[in-house]
Amino acid sequence: MDLESVKKYLEKGGGEDDKNGSTVEGLPLRFYERFIMQGIHVDLIEPGRIICSMKVPSRLLNSGNFLHGGATATLVDLVGSAVIFTLGAPATGVSVEINVSYLDAAYAGEEIEIEAKTLRVGKAVGVVSVELRKKETGKIIAQGRHTKYLAMTSKM
Amino acid sequence: MDLESVKKYLEKGGGEDDKNGSTVEGLPLRFYERFIMQGIHVDLIEPGRIICSMKVPSRLLNSGNFLHGGATATLVDLVGSAVIFTLGAPATGVSVEINVSYLDAAYAGEEIEIEAKTLRVGKAVGVVSVELRKKETGKIIAQGRHTKYLAMTSKM
Amino acid sequence: MDLESVKKYLEKGGGEDDKNGSTVEGLPLRFYERFIMQGIHVDLIEPGRIICSMKVPSRLLNSGNFLHGGATATLVDLVGSAVIFTLGAPATGVSVEINVSYLDAAYAGEEIEIEAKTLRVGKAVGVVSVELRKKETGKIIAQGRHTKYLAMTSKM
Amino acid sequence: MDLESVKKYLEKGGGEDDKNGSTVEGLPLRFYERFIMQGIHVDLIEPGRIICSMKVPSRLLNSGNFLHGGATATLVDLVGSAVIFTLGAPATGVSVEINVSYLDAAYAGEEIEIEAKTLRVGKAVGVVSVELRKKETGKIIAQGRHTKYLAMTSKM
């Protein structure tokens, strides 16, 4: 791909007209979390563990028509933060590190399961593991970890 | 936080009415990339290196009113993929691994700079580094790496 | 710590006489793997999964007298590579990415358990998860992932 | 590879006689750091930045006869810890996360350069970046990040 096309892709989404652009401008403050999580259902919640399910929505697809890697990372962030709350923490702190391995594609309409488990929640540092699986087969779509700094009263 | 509140947060965005919910339902196919990238400007593009800038938009804030960690990870994904194209690759492949360290908060309206550099682009595996900085001070907001499998004609 | 002391620490191991230095010089070719793995016992091995145990040896301690973070990362590397072999791969390929979260200290003489599981082994890319736990309590010491490029006949 | 051979590899280093085994048994307490770092030379040290060089020693090779991935991760750990000291921290804290991308092989006798830079050193959390390069060509061998929890007076 030539440099001009790469630039155009970044600035205009690959040459689409800006219909989507104007849609984006009108979106509400802090819309991002709702944009990602709309449609999630919590199947199990207990101290240290959450299992959710979700049908892959068309708005979160990438150009290959499967769940966008950025959306997957955001689910690792969000469900990984929520599971820290299940241990009674008053706040989930700030993110220190997120990592994700991508193992398989999840296509539009597929039912996926997101499982978050706390690996450690101390006074200052919390680490959780998050796995996305295909609900029908159990095949792993992605596995990640999310590390947070929890002691927000003192400065990080 | 009690378990019922955590569940409500995941399913309803913390108890908001579903005005946002219905906004989400109507969004176009593959809206995600445009949702993240709208407002990006490419300042420099050359083989192996891209620098973009962006004013942190209110739609991408988290509940702490700074750039959402999931949005940051998605920028590492997207700008990191684009920089692989600058070396003439016909496709950017599929993501294998993304990791991000979060170092500072970027507040609404702040000008940020996103620099992506290729560390290695071979026939099968490409690895890039992406850094987000505050434009005014150069302070690092986040640094990540993105690993892709490029040889898409054969099976991963 | 002043800069001169940091330099001395890196070059001389913090000011020790070089008794250890001369010991190091005489060590055999490719001694590293044996140095790390000596004392490992395989408790379970089946396709896609290995459980080993090991008593933390004094040679692998850090200055805080618990298992060195570099030794932990090397165990993620080595046991993570071995588990790819259990699926019949003729070679384990080359490392693409290793990451480790450190969750607890393992002191000298403690019995630890190392469990490696394949998350995905395709033709080109293999990803495994490795967890170190205290044998007595099951408490997690570290969790990591290891990504390898397997198709070594073609160029990476 | 059959399961018995994998087991043998883990327990006996691939069927070697135990000459190396008995060498290992006699090694001093906390030998690990010296074992890795012997031969490192500090070329530049300033607040927030260290550059070292090293000739890849035969003891740190893997079975492919290039620098072992575990040794690389340990250098990310050690030089990454040392660079935190250059900012005057009284202690370097405990490791929270280490990640490494492997980009090229470094063969026995090759001169390599290890550069560590602090990305952020706050009161509680420090993050550094470490890069290994071939001295002659500047080609990147590996790039990693090391995150530490620094406030050791309070409990992690």
Side-chain angles (χ1 to χ4, degrees), chain A residues 11 13 32 34 42 65 97 101, chain B residues 11 13 32 34 42 97 101:
Chain A
E11 295 188 344
Y32 187 58
R34 195 44 26 209
V42 176
N65 278 319
E97 173 92 21
S101 287
Chain B
E11 294 189 344
Y32 187 59
R34 197 41 28 207
V42 176
E97 173 92 21
S101 287

Side-chain angles (χ1 to χ4, degrees), chain B residues 38-57:
Chain B
Q38 180 73 21
I40 280 188
H41 182 261
V42 176
D43 298 320
L44 177 151
I45 182 161
E46 59 186 32
R49 186 158 167 252
I50 291 175
I51 300 182
C52 307
S53 54
M54 184 184 207
K55 200 175 275 198
V56 176

Side-chain angles (χ1 to χ4, degrees), chain C residues 9 11 13 24 27 30 32-35 42 58-59 62 65 68 70 95-102, chain D residues 9 11 13 24 27 30 32-35 42 58-59 62 65 68 70 74 95-102:
Chain C
Y9 159 73
E11 293 188 345
V24 172
L27 291 173
R30 290 190 299 272
Y32 188 58
E33 295 204 354
R34 196 43 28 209
F35 177 65
V42 176
S58 65
R59 70 184 183 275
N62 60 17
N65 278 318
H68 201 288
S95 294
V96 167
E97 173 91 21
I98 288 178
N99 61 51
V100 188
S101 287
Y102 297 91
Chain D
Y9 160 72
E11 294 188 345
V24 172
L27 291 173
R30 290 189 298 272
Y32 187 58
E33 294 203 356
R34 198 42 27 210
F35 177 66
V42 176
S58 65
R59 69 183 184 276
N62 59 18
N65 278 319
H68 200 288
T74 306
S95 293
V96 167
E97 173 92 20
I98 288 178
N99 61 51
V100 188
S101 287
Y102 297 91

Side-chain angles (χ1 to χ4, degrees), chain D residues 1-155:
Chain D
M1 209 186 241
D2 64 297
L3 298 184
E4 196 49 43
S5 306
V6 178
K7 186 177 171 190
K8 202 170 161 191
Y9 160 72
L10 284 170
E11 294 188 345
K12 301 275 177 209
E16 292 164 27
D17 57 51
D18 59 1
K19 232 182 336 170
N20 287 355
S22 47
T23 309
V24 172
E25 299 298 342
L27 291 173
L29 181 69
R30 290 189 298 272
F31 185 63
Y32 187 58
E33 294 203 356
R34 198 42 27 210
F35 177 66
I36 294 288
M37 292 202 289
Q38 181 72 22
I40 280 188
H41 183 262
V42 176
D43 298 319
L44 177 151
I45 182 162
E46 59 186 32
R49 187 157 166 251
I50 290 175
I51 299 181
C52 306
S53 54
M54 185 183 206
K55 200 176 274 199
V56 176
S58 65
R59 69 183 184 276
L60 298 183
L61 302 180
N62 59 18
S63 58
N65 278 319
F66 54 90
L67 183 62
H68 200 288
T72 303
T74 306
L75 288 165
V76 170
D77 179 346
L78 291 171
V79 187
S81 288
V83 79
I84 289 178
F85 275 130
T86 64
L87 292 180
T92 65
V94 292
S95 293
V96 167
E97 173 92 20
I98 288 178
N99 61 51
V100 188
S101 287
Y102 297 91
L103 303 151
D104 208 343
Y107 293 95
E110 268 198 274
E111 276 284 343
I112 63 170
E113 197 167 72
I114 307 164
E115 179 170 14
K117 282 187 284 192
T118 52
L119 299 178
R120 172 207 165 87
V121 176
K123 282 190 183 160
V125 175
V127 184
V128 304
S129 153
V130 182
E131 190 169 285
L132 281 75
R133 292 184 294 262
K134 297 185 177 228
K135 206 162 187 177
E136 210 181 298
T137 60
K139 240 184 137 184
I140 307 175
I141 298 159
Q143 195 184 86
R145 290 195 312 277
H146 185 183
T147 301
K148 306 201 81 169
Y149 177 66
L150 305 173
M152 291 304 294
T153 46
S154 69
K155 277 291 204 189

Side-chain angles (χ1 to χ4, degrees), chain A residues 60-126:
Chain A
L60 297 183
L61 301 180
N62 60 17
S63 59
N65 278 319
F66 54 89
L67 183 62
H68 200 288
T72 303
T74 306
L75 288 165
V76 169
D77 179 347
L78 292 171
V79 187
S81 288
V83 78
I84 288 178
F85 275 131
T86 64
L87 291 179
T92 64
V94 292
S95 293
V96 167
E97 173 92 21
I98 289 178
N99 61 51
V100 188
S101 287
Y102 297 91
L103 303 151
D104 207 344
Y107 292 96
E110 267 198 273
E111 275 285 342
I112 63 169
E113 196 166 72
I114 308 163
E115 179 170 15
K117 283 187 282 191
T118 52
L119 299 178
R120 172 207 165 86
V121 177
K123 280 188 185 163
V125 176

Side-chain angles (χ1 to χ4, degrees), chain A residues 9 11 13 24 27 30 32-35 42 58-59 62 65 68 70 95-102, chain B residues 9 11 13 24 27 30 32-35 42 58-59 62 65 68 74 95-102:
Chain A
Y9 159 72
E11 295 188 344
V24 171
L27 291 174
R30 289 190 299 272
Y32 187 58
E33 294 203 357
R34 195 44 26 209
F35 178 66
V42 176
S58 64
R59 70 182 183 276
N62 60 17
N65 278 319
H68 200 288
S95 293
V96 167
E97 173 92 21
I98 289 178
N99 61 51
V100 188
S101 287
Y102 297 91
Chain B
Y9 160 72
E11 294 189 344
V24 172
L27 291 173
R30 289 190 298 273
Y32 187 59
E33 294 203 357
R34 197 41 28 207
F35 178 67
V42 176
S58 64
R59 69 182 185 278
N62 60 16
N65 278 318
H68 200 289
T74 306
S95 293
V96 167
E97 173 92 21
I98 288 177
N99 61 51
V100 188
S101 287
Y102 297 91

Side-chain angles (χ1 to χ4, degrees), chain C residues 93-156:
Chain C
V94 292
S95 294
V96 167
E97 173 91 21
I98 288 178
N99 61 51
V100 188
S101 287
Y102 297 91
L103 302 151
D104 208 343
Y107 292 95
E110 268 197 274
E111 276 284 343
I112 63 170
E113 196 166 75
I114 308 163
E115 179 170 13
K117 283 187 284 193
T118 51
L119 300 178
R120 172 205 165 85
V121 177
K123 281 191 184 161
V125 176
V127 184
V128 303
S129 153
V130 182
E131 191 170 282
L132 281 76
R133 293 184 294 261
K134 296 186 177 228
K135 207 162 186 176
E136 209 182 298
T137 60
K139 240 182 136 185
I140 306 175
I141 297 159
Q143 196 184 87
R145 290 194 312 277
H146 185 183
T147 302
K148 305 200 85 168
Y149 177 66
L150 304 173
M152 293 302 294
T153 45
S154 69
K155 276 291 201 188
M156 178 164 89

